Amino acid sequence: MKNNNTYTIKFFGNKSADFLKCLQIRKQVFVVEQNVPEEIETDEFDKHSNHYLLLLLENQLPIATARWRNTKKGIKLERFSVLQQYRNKGYGQIILNEVLNDVIPLQKNIYLHAQETAINFYLKNNFAIQGDAFLEANIKHFKMIYNL
């Protein structure tokens, strides 16, 4: 889907060249910048997830990614990542909107585990904190629920 100067590719599973582009972004953000062990950044859920890849229209440069999957608790949004030089420019908002536009009509519980540094972003987007902080990949997170 086109949005101003970006284009979003959506796909299911981990068998495409676009998935490798998602992994490159995730590796840069989570493994290189945040020191998340590579072996836990990629997981068995990638093959059962709906993936999003945000590219710049002008040069087809991949700049952000996210995924969602069905769980016993509802729909879990995961792996939101924007390359550092493109942060705070609205690209995270674009990819979150794309994901929410697809999952809200499913009328299921929508939740995510937000890093502490992203809490305000999600609060502004109709999510609410549920419960206490916890560590995930040695980073402080909060469970957040989307208010339909």
Side-chain angles (χ1 to χ4, degrees):
M1 174 176 283
K2 289 182 183 176
N3 190 330
N4 296 336
N5 65 339
T6 61
Y7 184 79
T8 304
I9 297 172
K10 304 173 187 181
F11 58 95
F12 183 82
N14 61 354
K15 299 292 184 198
S16 74
D18 291 323
F19 177 71
L20 296 177
K21 294 173 185 174
C22 292
L23 283 183
Q24 289 173 335
I25 294 169
R26 286 167 40 183
K27 182 177 180 180
Q28 179 61 38
V29 171
F30 298 122
V31 177
V32 175
E33 292 176 30
Q34 299 180 351
N35 296 313
V36 172
E38 192 165 1
E39 60 273 10
I40 67 170
E41 197 294 308
T42 54
D43 59 26
E44 70 274 16
F45 302 120
D46 278 320
K47 64 184 170 186
H48 304 293
S49 295
N50 296 275
H51 297 272
Y52 294 70
L53 181 63
L54 188 70
L55 302 104
L56 294 177
L57 271 178
E58 66 185 68
N59 56 11
Q60 297 300 300
L61 180 71
I63 61 169
T65 187
R67 76 177 191 195
W68 68 268
R69 61 186 173 93
N70 283 299
T71 72
K72 292 177 183 175
K73 299 175 186 176
I75 294 172
K76 186 174 184 193
L77 312 185
E78 300 176 307
R79 301 301 199 272
F80 281 85
S81 45
V82 178
L83 291 176
Q84 188 172 34
Q85 62 269 38
Y86 297 99
R87 291 184 199 144
N88 301 311
K89 299 178 189 294
Y91 297 117
Q93 187 68 59
I94 291 170
I95 201 160
L96 177 62
N97 290 347
E98 292 276 353
V99 172
L100 289 174
N101 287 339
D102 289 345
V103 299
I104 288 171
L106 302 176
Q107 297 185 343
K108 293 183 177 181
N109 181 44
I110 300 167
Y111 70 103
L112 53 79
H113 294 169
Q115 291 185 9
E116 185 175 36
T117 56
I119 294 294
N120 286 333
F121 172 73
Y122 292 114
L123 288 171
K124 291 175 189 172
N125 282 282
N126 217 26
F127 284 84
I129 295 172
Q130 184 180 65
D132 296 326
F134 58 93
L135 287 181
E136 200 170 78
N138 225 13
I139 298 169
K140 192 184 226 182
H141 284 73
F142 290 85
K143 182 176 181 180
M144 299 188 80
I145 303 292
Y146 184 74
N147 295 309
L148 289 172

